[in-house]
Amino acid sequence: MPNLSEWITHTIETLGGPGLALLMLLETVFPPIPSELVLPLAGFTIGQGQMGWVEVMLWTTAGAVAGACLLYGVARAWGRERTIRWMAKLPLVDEDDADAAHRWFDRYGKVAVLTGRCVPGVRSLISIPAGTSGMPFGTFFVYTLLGTLVWNGLLVGLGYALGANWQAVEGVVGIISKVVAVLLVVAVLWFLWRKAQQRRASRP
């Protein structure tokens, strides 16, 4: 993605720290802007002496958390009941399934938000069930902040360590993203198969 890389580089060079925050906010809301390009490049700029560690971590974390809070707010405004009714309209999904999914998030939401912020392909989406389930904002904010610090620190550190080869991080994270996507597809197919089997077994 040479054009995207050039645009990200230009944004950071032009706007500095605020540019990093803007990119990370957009990355959270619009996943096609990948953090695996933004963050390693930020690490490379540290190695070049253009910015410091504290500055990079503050700006990137602020932007990512702001984007996550935006998605959370939209999802929370949409509401739990409306989400359950919408999910019940999906093939082989009923209100009991949708309600069970929300109850699961009520129980394990903290861990889901914390770890989800460190999983490619899930990082942005995890804000949505947090919002629709009505997770308290303070709880969401704290676990989002912690998970974001871990993810940002890891990718910035890799970019710093790799130096001029910082773009290699994108390839590694891209492989992980594909693995996660395949696992999610398998999980959905398993759920649909199980529901079909249950309905077949319930027929007289």
Side-chain angles (χ1 to χ4, degrees):
M1 294 184 292
N3 293 333
L4 182 57
S5 297
E6 291 172 5
W7 177 72
I8 290 173
T9 302
H10 178 72
T11 300
I12 295 175
E13 290 176 347
T14 304
L15 301 178
L20 280 174
L22 175 63
L23 288 169
M24 290 305 296
L25 187 151
L26 293 175
E27 179 271 336
T28 303
V29 179
F30 305 105
I33 299 176
S35 62
E36 55 265 33
L37 277 179
V38 178
L39 295 173
L41 176 56
F44 176 64
T45 64
I46 294 174
Q48 295 296 299
Q50 299 174 26
M51 283 190 279
W53 275 97
V54 174
E55 181 184 7
V56 166
M57 290 302 297
L58 283 176
W59 283 112
T60 56
T61 301
V65 171
C69 289
L70 176 62
L71 288 178
Y72 167 91
V74 171
R76 180 133 190 189
W78 179 259
R80 183 176 187 138
E81 296 303 320
R82 191 182 299 179
T83 302
I84 289 175
R85 289 196 300 270
W86 176 81
M87 291 176 66
K89 296 178 182 179
L90 297 174
L92 299 177
V93 178
D94 53 37
E95 288 196 6
D96 288 340
D97 295 322
D99 190 51
H102 280 84
R103 289 199 305 272
W104 181 92
F105 200 90
D106 290 339
R107 185 172 182 180
Y108 302 105
K110 294 177 182 179
V111 175
V113 170
L114 179 63
T115 57
R117 290 300 303 169
C118 302
V119 179
V122 178
R123 298 181 62 254
S124 299
L125 297 178
I126 198 62
S127 300
I128 297 175
T132 59
S133 296
M135 173 181 281
F137 177 74
T139 301
F140 171 78
F141 181 85
V142 169
Y143 283 91
T144 295
L145 176 62
L146 293 174
T148 299
L149 283 170
V150 172
W151 177 256
N152 289 5
L154 175 62
L155 265 65
V156 169
L158 287 173
Y160 177 82
L162 290 172
N165 295 318
W166 61 268
Q167 288 187 335
V169 177
E170 182 188 11
V172 175
V173 177
I175 294 173
I176 298 174
S177 298
K178 291 177 182 177
V179 171
V180 171
V182 169
L183 292 176
L184 289 174
V185 170
V186 170
V188 171
L189 291 176
W190 176 83
F191 170 79
L192 295 176
W193 175 84
R194 189 188 68 172
K195 292 297 294 185
Q197 292 293 103
Q198 289 175 349
R199 293 193 175 189
R200 189 176 297 119
S202 63
R203 292 175 184 171

